[in-house]
Amino acid sequence: MIIKEYQLNEVIKKGSYPPFLLVFGPNEGLIRDDILKICSSFKEDLETDEITINGKALDENYSLIDEEIRSFSMFSEKKIIHLENLKEKHLQYFENQKIENDKILVIIKSDNLNKSSKIRNFFEKHKRYAALPCYEDDMRSTMNLLSQFQSDNKVKFSSDIKNYLLQNLSSDRLISKSELEKILLVIGNAQNKEIELEDIQNILNDGSSNSLNIINENVMYGKVNQVSKNLYRIFDEGTNAVAIVRSLLNYLVRVHKTQIEIKKTGNFDEAIKQLRPPVFWKDKDNFRNHCSKWPTKDILLYIERLLEAEYMCKTQSSLNYQICEKYILSVAKKGEVYFN
């Protein structure tokens, strides 16, 4: 069966999860958000085991899924099994599996799957299992995101600002949320003051003169010493560690999205037309270099690591600057490989 995005909250509210759930689509940010919501709700604050199995591990041990479904820690009350990087051939390893225990949830995460995909068809047609497609955000879903953001943060945008954001936010949920959180960090507590459209435009289009953008470019070029100096400078200026990590995370997501589009079109200029906010013209050559020199596998690796860094900065506030510096410099060290 198919669970549509607007139906997900009702599924979460009822706790009526299918034993196997496929979450797929081109919207990486929405996929992450949905999986996070599902897992959080499924756990119900109970001790829960979470394990991840990838396609390579299945190739080495075809019975791994069955073993994990049948094994249960004596210290945990629930279990979530994440399956990632599966190929069509791996369908045989779980299509005949049955889970009667409602304390176990298996989540299969995938990129976009075409209509002929065997995995997609299996879940869409199954009576008990389900597929949750995560398509790129359209005007309606972006408007809902804006409304939720205003409600959560007690911020009120004028109609001009809303229209501007609707036109300039990304179709990827992760990028859009990063931009909105960036706005919140910059404007601070705006509950009792009016926000001007020009303020928002400056935040989303701050160009290469912006300190964070300069750091991002130096990181990607592997200029470790320069990155270190710039980090200490903006630390002294009071820049939030989470904002620094998010800025680089957002940059990597934009690079990854462009690399995907380049594979489709073969043209960099066409690929960057999909980005919101658009690439500032002064940054275009640098962005092109980063998209062409950095391998996609490393971009994805450091997206995961920066997500981890963001979480650690939030939960270990006394060490947030040390954590930020460690992770940012680790990306810069990798950049040395490709540009030095």
PDB file of all heavy atoms in Angstrom, residues 283-301:
ATOM      1  N   ASP A 283      30.133  33.417  -7.018  1.00  0.00           N
ATOM      2  CA  ASP A 283      30.501  32.112  -6.457  1.00  0.00           C
ATOM      3  C   ASP A 283      30.447  30.988  -7.479  1.00  0.00           C
ATOM      4  O   ASP A 283      30.805  29.845  -7.167  1.00  0.00           O
ATOM      5  CB  ASP A 283      29.562  31.749  -5.298  1.00  0.00           C
ATOM      6  CG  ASP A 283      29.638  32.750  -4.161  1.00  0.00           C
ATOM      7  OD1 ASP A 283      30.689  33.388  -4.023  1.00  0.00           O
ATOM      8  OD2 ASP A 283      28.649  32.887  -3.421  1.00  0.00           O
ATOM      9  N   LYS A 284      30.008  31.291  -8.685  1.00  0.00           N
ATOM     10  CA  LYS A 284      29.693  30.250  -9.664  1.00  0.00           C
ATOM     11  C   LYS A 284      30.906  29.387 -10.025  1.00  0.00           C
ATOM     12  O   LYS A 284      30.814  28.158 -10.055  1.00  0.00           O
ATOM     13  CB  LYS A 284      29.104  30.889 -10.922  1.00  0.00           C
ATOM     14  CG  LYS A 284      28.574  29.891 -11.936  1.00  0.00           C
ATOM     15  CD  LYS A 284      27.893  30.614 -13.084  1.00  0.00           C
ATOM     16  CE  LYS A 284      27.434  29.638 -14.144  1.00  0.00           C
ATOM     17  NZ  LYS A 284      26.768  30.336 -15.273  1.00  0.00           N
ATOM     18  N   ASP A 285      32.058  30.012 -10.288  1.00  0.00           N
ATOM     19  CA  ASP A 285      33.239  29.239 -10.689  1.00  0.00           C
ATOM     20  C   ASP A 285      33.728  28.338  -9.565  1.00  0.00           C
ATOM     21  O   ASP A 285      34.114  27.185  -9.800  1.00  0.00           O
ATOM     22  CB  ASP A 285      34.363  30.185 -11.134  1.00  0.00           C
ATOM     23  CG  ASP A 285      34.081  30.842 -12.472  1.00  0.00           C
ATOM     24  OD1 ASP A 285      33.232  30.315 -13.215  1.00  0.00           O
ATOM     25  OD2 ASP A 285      34.695  31.884 -12.762  1.00  0.00           O
ATOM     26  N   ASN A 286      33.732  28.871  -8.340  1.00  0.00           N
ATOM     27  CA  ASN A 286      34.143  28.051  -7.192  1.00  0.00           C
ATOM     28  C   ASN A 286      33.200  26.869  -7.010  1.00  0.00           C
ATOM     29  O   ASN A 286      33.639  25.735  -6.777  1.00  0.00           O
ATOM     30  CB  ASN A 286      34.151  28.900  -5.916  1.00  0.00           C
ATOM     31  CG  ASN A 286      35.284  29.902  -5.886  1.00  0.00           C
ATOM     32  OD1 ASN A 286      36.362  29.636  -6.403  1.00  0.00           O
ATOM     33  ND2 ASN A 286      35.036  31.061  -5.310  1.00  0.00           N
ATOM     34  N   PHE A 287      31.898  27.128  -7.122  1.00  0.00           N
ATOM     35  CA  PHE A 287      30.897  26.072  -6.952  1.00  0.00           C
ATOM     36  C   PHE A 287      31.066  25.010  -8.035  1.00  0.00           C
ATOM     37  O   PHE A 287      30.954  23.806  -7.758  1.00  0.00           O
ATOM     38  CB  PHE A 287      29.499  26.677  -6.991  1.00  0.00           C
ATOM     39  CG  PHE A 287      28.411  25.735  -6.571  1.00  0.00           C
ATOM     40  CD1 PHE A 287      28.280  25.341  -5.251  1.00  0.00           C
ATOM     41  CD2 PHE A 287      27.507  25.235  -7.500  1.00  0.00           C
ATOM     42  CE1 PHE A 287      27.274  24.461  -4.861  1.00  0.00           C
ATOM     43  CE2 PHE A 287      26.500  24.363  -7.124  1.00  0.00           C
ATOM     44  CZ  PHE A 287      26.392  23.980  -5.801  1.00  0.00           C
ATOM     45  N   ARG A 288      31.357  25.441  -9.259  1.00  0.00           N
ATOM     46  CA  ARG A 288      31.586  24.493 -10.358  1.00  0.00           C
ATOM     47  C   ARG A 288      32.777  23.589 -10.047  1.00  0.00           C
ATOM     48  O   ARG A 288      32.716  22.365 -10.256  1.00  0.00           O
ATOM     49  CB  ARG A 288      31.835  25.261 -11.656  1.00  0.00           C
ATOM     50  CG  ARG A 288      31.932  24.365 -12.909  1.00  0.00           C
ATOM     51  CD  ARG A 288      32.636  25.097 -14.038  1.00  0.00           C
ATOM     52  NE  ARG A 288      31.988  26.340 -14.354  1.00  0.00           N
ATOM     53  CZ  ARG A 288      31.014  26.481 -15.255  1.00  0.00           C
ATOM     54  NH1 ARG A 288      30.592  25.421 -15.913  1.00  0.00           N
ATOM     55  NH2 ARG A 288      30.497  27.672 -15.487  1.00  0.00           N
ATOM     56  N   ASN A 289      33.861  24.184  -9.538  1.00  0.00           N
ATOM     57  CA  ASN A 289      35.048  23.393  -9.198  1.00  0.00           C
ATOM     58  C   ASN A 289      34.738  22.352  -8.133  1.00  0.00           C
ATOM     59  O   ASN A 289      35.185  21.200  -8.218  1.00  0.00           O
ATOM     60  CB  ASN A 289      36.155  24.321  -8.684  1.00  0.00           C
ATOM     61  CG  ASN A 289      36.776  25.154  -9.784  1.00  0.00           C
ATOM     62  OD1 ASN A 289      36.709  24.792 -10.950  1.00  0.00           O
ATOM     63  ND2 ASN A 289      37.371  26.280  -9.415  1.00  0.00           N
ATOM     64  N   HIS A 290      33.985  22.753  -7.125  1.00  0.00           N
ATOM     65  CA  HIS A 290      33.666  21.826  -6.030  1.00  0.00           C
ATOM     66  C   HIS A 290      32.780  20.683  -6.514  1.00  0.00           C
ATOM     67  O   HIS A 290      32.944  19.535  -6.101  1.00  0.00           O
ATOM     68  CB  HIS A 290      32.995  22.586  -4.887  1.00  0.00           C
ATOM     69  CG  HIS A 290      33.833  23.687  -4.341  1.00  0.00           C
ATOM     70  ND1 HIS A 290      33.316  24.810  -3.733  1.00  0.00           N
ATOM     71  CD2 HIS A 290      35.192  23.844  -4.329  1.00  0.00           C
ATOM     72  CE1 HIS A 290      34.309  25.603  -3.364  1.00  0.00           C
ATOM     73  NE2 HIS A 290      35.453  25.047  -3.713  1.00  0.00           N
ATOM     74  N   CYS A 291      31.833  20.997  -7.378  1.00  0.00           N
ATOM     75  CA  CYS A 291      30.941  19.954  -7.918  1.00  0.00           C
ATOM     76  C   CYS A 291      31.707  18.952  -8.776  1.00  0.00           C
ATOM     77  O   CYS A 291      31.381  17.760  -8.785  1.00  0.00           O
ATOM     78  CB  CYS A 291      29.822  20.589  -8.740  1.00  0.00           C
ATOM     79  SG  CYS A 291      28.607  21.504  -7.769  1.00  0.00           S
ATOM     80  N   SER A 292      32.721  19.430  -9.497  1.00  0.00           N
ATOM     81  CA  SER A 292      33.437  18.545 -10.423  1.00  0.00           C
ATOM     82  C   SER A 292      34.551  17.758  -9.748  1.00  0.00           C
ATOM     83  O   SER A 292      34.818  16.610 -10.109  1.00  0.00           O
ATOM     84  CB  SER A 292      34.027  19.355 -11.583  1.00  0.00           C
ATOM     85  OG  SER A 292      34.982  20.296 -11.114  1.00  0.00           O
ATOM     86  N   LYS A 293      35.207  18.347  -8.728  1.00  0.00           N
ATOM     87  CA  LYS A 293      36.368  17.689  -8.124  1.00  0.00           C
ATOM     88  C   LYS A 293      36.006  16.771  -6.952  1.00  0.00           C
ATOM     89  O   LYS A 293      36.670  15.762  -6.729  1.00  0.00           O
ATOM     90  CB  LYS A 293      37.363  18.750  -7.642  1.00  0.00           C
ATOM     91  CG  LYS A 293      38.050  19.527  -8.762  1.00  0.00           C
ATOM     92  CD  LYS A 293      38.993  18.646  -9.546  1.00  0.00           C
ATOM     93  CE  LYS A 293      39.763  19.448 -10.585  1.00  0.00           C
ATOM     94  NZ  LYS A 293      40.754  20.354  -9.976  1.00  0.00           N
ATOM     95  N   TRP A 294      35.000  17.128  -6.196  1.00  0.00           N
ATOM     96  CA  TRP A 294      34.628  16.308  -5.030  1.00  0.00           C
ATOM     97  C   TRP A 294      33.790  15.109  -5.480  1.00  0.00           C
ATOM     98  O   TRP A 294      32.736  15.290  -6.109  1.00  0.00           O
ATOM     99  CB  TRP A 294      33.832  17.131  -4.026  1.00  0.00           C
ATOM    100  CG  TRP A 294      34.667  17.881  -3.034  1.00  0.00           C
ATOM    101  CD1 TRP A 294      35.329  19.055  -3.242  1.00  0.00           C
ATOM    102  CD2 TRP A 294      34.912  17.520  -1.671  1.00  0.00           C
ATOM    103  NE1 TRP A 294      35.975  19.451  -2.094  1.00  0.00           N
ATOM    104  CE2 TRP A 294      35.745  18.528  -1.111  1.00  0.00           C
ATOM    105  CE3 TRP A 294      34.520  16.462  -0.857  1.00  0.00           C
ATOM    106  CZ2 TRP A 294      36.174  18.492   0.208  1.00  0.00           C
ATOM    107  CZ3 TRP A 294      34.947  16.423   0.455  1.00  0.00           C
ATOM    108  CH2 TRP A 294      35.778  17.420   0.976  1.00  0.00           C
ATOM    109  N   PRO A 295      34.191  13.883  -5.155  1.00  0.00           N
ATOM    110  CA  PRO A 295      33.364  12.707  -5.494  1.00  0.00           C
ATOM    111  C   PRO A 295      32.062  12.711  -4.695  1.00  0.00           C
ATOM    112  O   PRO A 295      32.032  13.118  -3.529  1.00  0.00           O
ATOM    113  CB  PRO A 295      34.248  11.521  -5.067  1.00  0.00           C
ATOM    114  CG  PRO A 295      35.619  12.073  -4.932  1.00  0.00           C
ATOM    115  CD  PRO A 295      35.461  13.500  -4.523  1.00  0.00           C
ATOM    116  N   THR A 296      31.006  12.258  -5.312  1.00  0.00           N
ATOM    117  CA  THR A 296      29.702  12.227  -4.660  1.00  0.00           C
ATOM    118  C   THR A 296      29.725  11.398  -3.378  1.00  0.00           C
ATOM    119  O   THR A 296      29.092  11.755  -2.384  1.00  0.00           O
ATOM    120  CB  THR A 296      28.642  11.655  -5.625  1.00  0.00           C
ATOM    121  OG1 THR A 296      28.563  12.501  -6.774  1.00  0.00           O
ATOM    122  CG2 THR A 296      27.273  11.602  -4.961  1.00  0.00           C
ATOM    123  N   LYS A 297      30.470  10.303  -3.404  1.00  0.00           N
ATOM    124  CA  LYS A 297      30.499   9.429  -2.207  1.00  0.00           C
ATOM    125  C   LYS A 297      31.068  10.170  -0.998  1.00  0.00           C
ATOM    126  O   LYS A 297      30.620   9.963   0.138  1.00  0.00           O
ATOM    127  CB  LYS A 297      31.303   8.159  -2.482  1.00  0.00           C
ATOM    128  CG  LYS A 297      32.767   8.367  -2.783  1.00  0.00           C
ATOM    129  CD  LYS A 297      33.480   7.037  -3.026  1.00  0.00           C
ATOM    130  CE  LYS A 297      34.957   7.231  -3.356  1.00  0.00           C
ATOM    131  NZ  LYS A 297      35.721   7.850  -2.252  1.00  0.00           N
ATOM    132  N   ASP A 298      32.055  11.047  -1.233  1.00  0.00           N
ATOM    133  CA  ASP A 298      32.623  11.813  -0.126  1.00  0.00           C
ATOM    134  C   ASP A 298      31.688  12.929   0.321  1.00  0.00           C
ATOM    135  O   ASP A 298      31.615  13.251   1.516  1.00  0.00           O
ATOM    136  CB  ASP A 298      33.979  12.397  -0.523  1.00  0.00           C
ATOM    137  CG  ASP A 298      35.087  11.357  -0.499  1.00  0.00           C
ATOM    138  OD1 ASP A 298      34.915  10.338   0.205  1.00  0.00           O
ATOM    139  OD2 ASP A 298      36.108  11.540  -1.175  1.00  0.00           O
ATOM    140  N   ILE A 299      30.975  13.527  -0.626  1.00  0.00           N
ATOM    141  CA  ILE A 299      29.977  14.546  -0.273  1.00  0.00           C
ATOM    142  C   ILE A 299      28.935  13.928   0.659  1.00  0.00           C
ATOM    143  O   ILE A 299      28.584  14.505   1.698  1.00  0.00           O
ATOM    144  CB  ILE A 299      29.307  15.126  -1.532  1.00  0.00           C
ATOM    145  CG1 ILE A 299      30.310  15.923  -2.378  1.00  0.00           C
ATOM    146  CG2 ILE A 299      28.122  16.009  -1.156  1.00  0.00           C
ATOM    147  CD1 ILE A 299      30.842  17.168  -1.708  1.00  0.00           C
ATOM    148  N   LEU A 300      28.438  12.747   0.302  1.00  0.00           N
ATOM    149  CA  LEU A 300      27.430  12.075   1.133  1.00  0.00           C
ATOM    150  C   LEU A 300      27.992  11.694   2.491  1.00  0.00           C
ATOM    151  O   LEU A 300      27.302  11.812   3.511  1.00  0.00           O
ATOM    152  CB  LEU A 300      26.912  10.831   0.405  1.00  0.00           C
ATOM    153  CG  LEU A 300      26.039  11.090  -0.822  1.00  0.00           C
ATOM    154  CD1 LEU A 300      25.746   9.787  -1.560  1.00  0.00           C
ATOM    155  CD2 LEU A 300      24.734  11.746  -0.404  1.00  0.00           C
ATOM    156  N   LEU A 301      29.242  11.252   2.518  1.00  0.00           N
ATOM    157  CA  LEU A 301      29.889  10.873   3.779  1.00  0.00           C
ATOM    158  C   LEU A 301      29.944  12.066   4.733  1.00  0.00           C
ATOM    159  O   LEU A 301      29.589  11.954   5.920  1.00  0.00           O
ATOM    160  CB  LEU A 301      31.306  10.359   3.508  1.00  0.00           C
ATOM    161  CG  LEU A 301      32.182  10.116   4.744  1.00  0.00           C
ATOM    162  CD1 LEU A 301      31.601   9.004   5.608  1.00  0.00           C
ATOM    163  CD2 LEU A 301      33.615   9.779   4.331  1.00  0.00           C
TER     164      LEU A 301
END
